[in-house]
Amino acid sequence: MVLLEQSEQVAHPLGVLPSSNLWLTDRLTLQNQQKHRKTSLGRYFETFLDETLVDFLGFLDAGSLATLCSVSKFLFVFASHEPLWRELTLRLSSSSNLKFKHTWKETLLGTKLESSPRCATVVYSDTLYRTWQYARTEISPTWLQYENVKVRDALDFGVDDFLEEFEKHNEPVLIKNALSTWGAFKRWGEAPKPASENLDTGNINLGYLEKIYSNKRFRAGPANLSLQEFVSYCQGPGSFSDEDPLYIFDSTFQEQMPSVVKDYSVPVYFKNSRQHPHRDLLECMDKLRPDYRWLIAGPAKSGSKWHVDPNRTHAWNAVVSGSKLWLMFPPDQIPPGVFPNESGTEVTQPVSLMEWFVTFYEVAKKCNPVQFVARSGDLVFIPSRWWHCVLNLEPCVAITQNYISSTNLRNSFCMMKYNSELVSGIPCSRSKDSLHSDFRAALERHHPELLKSVEIEIENAITNHKKAQSIRKKSSCNGVEWHVVKKQKESATFSFGFF
């Protein structure tokens, strides 16, 4: 495989340089920069931090932002900041057909713009430069030198093998040759490529879907874009100038494109059958089932930042075209540079995947994550509660689905009941608390014995948890050493702490 080499640093189109460069200049240059900033930004804007100024400009409409571009060099550069124009453009995406041009600013205003005002003053700003830097950073070959996931071939790997080796132990696996019957490979794009072939940094390929459903709108980041608009975005220079490229992650694709039911099917490992009736328990919820399947499509360097799948579900991900770099950490190991809040409802991390890889990948590699590249035709199992991120190495199309089976039912059931604030994927018209009661009612109708068994298991676990707390309280009063309390606490098989 020929990898993308790290290119020489490309100059910012408006001549912006990192703030640190200013301190390497002479005193006169430093004084001139401070003087030009003050006179160019004015009495009030000059006092703003760069981040604050960009945030303020984000409240303006396109006309006001364009007007500021004619005021001074500094305001031209700040008001031309591409993320500002991207947000404005995407706000209008549902009411107009977008034709992507060289920049988001040109796309919205519909005209070729002057690259810079006639002024030799250089603007030094980490805020403005960082976005450009990570948008132009290419995928490093060093990120792809390490693969340690367990791999199985579907030709001699059955459902029982999968359950015993991986799902029951909550461990990930990459399965080859499991999608050979899918029509998507022929009708959406090219057949699976050998791993030895080059990465394709060209156009995204959705085959006949582009023609038949070109005007259908799908969720792509903060906007709803038509398939035609999204393909135009991926094929144009816009996706290469974005720090965090747009990609489709849409749960309504099967309703919007009915013909795709002929193009793919749930792999046998995750499908209910007579022999394995408890593979997908959420199926019995029918129309009350929360969002569970998504079409994923995006250009190179797009993807999913670090997260844990919703509702404590397992998941599978099937790559139709392209290739994806996966990193995973087990539930008790939070990735470097990722900071979830105590309840798990919010996660703080770098703005883009590229920034995380540049900043934290080498640190993360020392923590021994599960890492691998999934290529066209590969099937990935993502265990419940595992942290994972996915970086598209080239234009990619994939399908993913979340499910609850007998192996993770207890954890998911408890989360729905005791941590309902973490529930996601249900309409705003339904309360999050309702998912537990709706799921329980469905299980009572279709799997009453399994429901009874798991509720007894949960009740016993709660009893053990309370005993452990009681022992801890008594030991703190009697001076018993902590390792005794810890041993007793670890004997409990249930925890109320959820990610």
Side-chain angles (χ1 to χ4, degrees):
M1 179 182 289
V2 177
L3 305 176
L4 299 173
E5 296 293 339
Q6 192 72 22
S7 64
E8 295 182 3
Q9 184 62 53
V10 181
H12 191 286
L14 301 181
V16 176
L17 290 175
S19 298
S20 55
N21 285 28
L22 182 61
W23 303 105
L24 300 177
T25 62
D26 55 59
R27 179 179 295 181
L28 180 61
T29 302
L30 177 59
Q31 291 174 344
N32 286 338
Q33 174 71 190
Q34 294 171 339
K35 177 182 177 181
H36 285 307
R37 177 184 173 88
K38 185 173 183 179
T39 56
S40 186
L41 291 181
R43 178 180 177 183
Y44 296 106
F45 284 163
E46 183 268 335
T47 63
F48 287 11
L49 296 174
D50 289 358
E51 296 90 338
T52 307
L53 180 55
V54 169
D55 288 342
F56 173 81
L57 296 178
F59 290 101
L60 303 183
D61 57 29
S64 300
L65 207 56
T67 300
L68 279 180
C69 289
S70 63
V71 173
S72 67
K73 168 67 182 254
F74 272 71
L75 281 176
F76 174 88
V77 172
F78 274 93
S80 297
H81 191 42
E82 273 291 274
L84 296 173
W85 290 95
R86 167 171 147 154
E87 185 175 347
L88 286 170
T89 304
L90 293 178
R91 285 182 199 167
L92 302 174
S93 61
S94 59
S95 59
S96 61
N97 292 321
L98 300 178
K99 294 182 179 179
F100 289 94
K101 298 186 178 181
H102 186 67
T103 66
W104 286 100
K105 185 178 179 182
E106 290 177 10
T107 298
L108 183 58
L109 299 181
T111 181
K112 179 70 176 177
L113 300 169
E114 184 182 1
S115 59
S116 180
R118 298 174 183 176
C119 178
T121 303
V122 176
V123 175
Y124 293 86
S125 171
D126 288 339
T127 300
L128 302 181
Y129 189 82
R130 181 193 60 77
T131 301
W132 171 256
Q133 176 189 4
Y134 291 119
R136 303 301 299 182
T137 299
E138 295 181 349
I139 296 168
S140 170
T142 60
W143 301 346
L144 310 180
Q145 294 175 349
Y146 173 71
E147 294 191 46
N148 64 346
V149 71
K150 293 180 180 178
V151 181
R152 296 292 184 268
D153 193 317
L155 299 177
D156 56 5
F157 184 64
V159 178
D160 290 327
D161 299 321
F162 167 71
L163 285 169
E164 294 299 324
E165 291 186 46
F166 297 101
E167 192 178 280
K168 287 184 178 179
H169 299 285
N170 211 45
E171 294 182 3
V173 63
L174 175 68
I175 306 174
K176 300 282 187 179
N177 300 313
L179 312 173
S180 57
T181 62
W182 280 24
F185 294 112
K186 294 181 179 179
R187 293 191 283 270
W188 294 12
E190 299 178 356
K193 297 186 303 183
S196 59
E197 290 195 15
N198 296 353
L199 291 176
D200 177 13
T201 57
N203 298 337
I204 196 164
N205 192 348
L206 288 168
Y208 82 95
L209 300 179
E210 295 179 33
K211 298 178 181 179
I212 299 179
Y213 303 110
S214 62
N215 293 322
K216 293 290 185 179
R217 292 192 171 272
F218 299 91
R219 193 68 183 171
N224 289 319
L225 298 180
S226 70
L227 209 55
Q228 182 180 20
E229 290 171 335
F230 181 73
V231 171
S232 171
Y233 166 79
C234 293
Q235 292 175 349
S239 64
F240 298 104
S241 64
D242 278 346
E243 177 187 4
D244 188 20
L246 297 176
Y247 74 107
I248 288 177
F249 191 79
D250 191 277
S251 61
T252 66
F253 74 99
Q254 192 155 305
E255 290 76 19
Q256 295 207 70
M257 302 187 296
S259 64
V260 299
V261 297
K262 303 175 182 178
D263 298 337
Y264 84 100
S265 58
V266 177
V268 64
Y269 304 101
F270 316 106
K271 185 186 300 184
N272 291 328
S273 65
R274 289 185 179 181
Q275 294 81 9
H276 304 94
H278 301 150
R279 298 304 305 123
D280 185 359
L281 296 171
L282 288 172
E283 191 176 74
C284 67
M285 294 188 70
D286 197 22
K287 294 182 180 180
L288 292 177
R289 181 174 188 165
D291 293 342
Y292 68 100
R293 61 188 174 202
W294 292 267
L295 172 68
I296 307 172
K301 299 197 292 184
S302 64
S304 297
K305 295 192 290 185
W306 284 103
H307 67 284
V308 174
D309 281 336
N311 305 332
R312 289 207 156 192
T313 54
H314 293 314
W316 57 265
N317 185 294
V319 184
V320 177
S321 62
S323 54
K324 298 171 174 285
L325 174 60
W326 287 75
L327 266 73
M328 296 184 180
F329 279 102
D332 60 351
Q333 191 174 359
I334 299 174
V338 178
F339 306 95
N341 64 1
E342 188 174 350
S343 65
T345 55
E346 296 180 3
V347 178
T348 301
Q349 58 184 310
V351 171
S352 66
L353 277 170
M354 294 303 293
E355 181 179 359
W356 184 88
F357 270 93
V358 169
T359 309
F360 294 104
Y361 174 74
E362 291 301 326
V363 177
K365 190 167 69 171
K366 297 177 182 178
C367 301
N368 298 316
V370 174
Q371 177 175 328
F372 58 95
V373 174
R375 300 170 177 84
S376 179
D378 288 348
L379 177 64
V380 179
F381 168 62
I382 306 100
S384 172
R385 298 178 295 130
W386 275 61
W387 288 94
H388 53 285
C389 73
V390 189
L391 176 66
N392 288 339
L393 302 178
E394 55 189 322
C396 285
V397 179
I399 290 177
T400 189
Q401 184 165 315
N402 290 29
Y403 70 99
I404 295 174
S405 72
S406 56
T407 62
N408 65 327
L409 175 59
R410 190 188 75 181
N411 277 328
S412 294
F413 209 56
C414 288
M415 189 222 72
M416 294 176 191
K417 184 174 183 179
Y418 298 109
N419 291 80
S420 60
E421 71 275 7
L422 300 181
V423 165
S424 66
I426 62 174
C428 297
S429 57
R430 292 168 57 194
S431 70
K432 293 186 175 184
D433 294 333
S434 68
L435 182 58
H436 174 265
S437 57
D438 292 339
F439 189 30
R440 189 188 184 285
L443 289 174
E444 195 167 29
R445 288 193 303 270
H446 297 276
H447 305 284
E449 293 183 1
L450 179 62
L451 174 62
K452 182 178 179 181
S453 173
V454 77
E455 287 190 329
I456 291 174
E457 189 178 353
I458 291 172
E459 186 177 344
N460 291 337
I462 292 175
T463 300
N464 289 338
H465 179 76
K466 290 180 178 179
K467 287 181 179 179
Q469 284 186 321
S470 177
I471 292 172
R472 180 179 178 181
K473 185 176 180 180
K474 289 180 180 179
S475 63
S476 64
C477 296
N478 299 332
V480 178
E481 292 187 14
W482 169 243
H483 69 84
V484 177
V485 179
K486 184 179 179 183
K487 185 175 180 181
Q488 292 286 348
K489 185 177 181 181
E490 290 174 344
S491 67
T493 57
F494 174 74
S495 173
F496 282 91
F498 298 107
F499 287 103

